[in-house]
Amino acid sequence: MAAPTINQEKQTVLSDEAIAFAKQRANYASFVPVHHNDDCIRIAYGWLDAQIKSSSLMEVPVSQRGLIRSWGGALVMYGDIIVAAELHPEIFGVYPLLNLSRELTYPDPVRLANIVGAHEHSSLNQFDPAHFYTHYEKPTIA
């Protein structure tokens, strides 16, 4: 089976086929391959995509899962982030050691616009962006 292509525009909508393929090849390391739903993978992908990529692997000094859950308002699981990282062409490493800058970027909320499962759990918005993000992604004008 050939790898499905991924649309690399800002509002990437990952197909169910691409996600299923990535779930099969993802390196879950010591994490249990549990997924909430495919929309959570799409949310994690959007968050990862907004981050500045580095040339070396490092662990972000705060819970990536917590930040992604807070931004997307969804019950994102570790497996969802692992699959999102597997799908992303600019990300390498094994979660939680990914090539992300420690200077985190708060993603533009427009990334969530076409994801049905976003904002289903507003109570997850527990992080003050000013405490954890160095940069804010600039909104795109259509």
Side-chain angles (χ1 to χ4, degrees), residues 12 14 17-18 24 33 43 45 88 104 108 118 138 142:
T12 299
L14 301 172
E17 178 188 41
Q24 292 174 6
I43 291 166
Y45 184 97
H88 202 289
L104 299 176
D108 184 349
K138 292 182 172 112

Side-chain angles (χ1 to χ4, degrees), residues 65-83:
R65 184 175 78 150
L67 292 174
I68 295 168
R69 283 179 163 196
S70 181
W71 173 71
L75 294 171
V76 175
M77 308 302 262
Y78 292 115
D80 299 329
I81 302 168
I82 291 165
V83 171

Side-chain angles (χ1 to χ4, degrees), residues 107-125:
D108 184 349
V110 75
R111 290 178 175 273
L112 301 170
N114 296 321
I115 302 175
V116 176
H119 305 298
E120 284 188 342
H121 300 278
S122 58
S123 63
L124 293 172
N125 191 357

Side-chain angles (χ1 to χ4, degrees), residues 40 43-48 50-51 59-78 81 95 100-107 112 119 121-122 124-136:
C40 288
I43 291 166
Y45 184 97
W47 188 91
L48 291 170
Q51 303 310 306
E59 188 169 355
V60 174
V62 65
S63 168
Q64 292 175 45
R65 184 175 78 150
L67 292 174
I68 295 168
R69 283 179 163 196
S70 181
W71 173 71
L75 294 171
V76 175
M77 308 302 262
Y78 292 115
I81 302 168
Y95 180 84
L100 302 179
S101 170
R102 289 180 181 249
E103 291 188 1
L104 299 176
T105 301
Y106 187 80
L112 301 170
H119 305 298
H121 300 278
S122 58
L124 293 172
N125 191 357
Q126 58 188 320
F127 291 102
D128 176 1
H131 285 53
F132 298 100
Y133 293 100
T134 305
H135 309 282
Y136 288 81

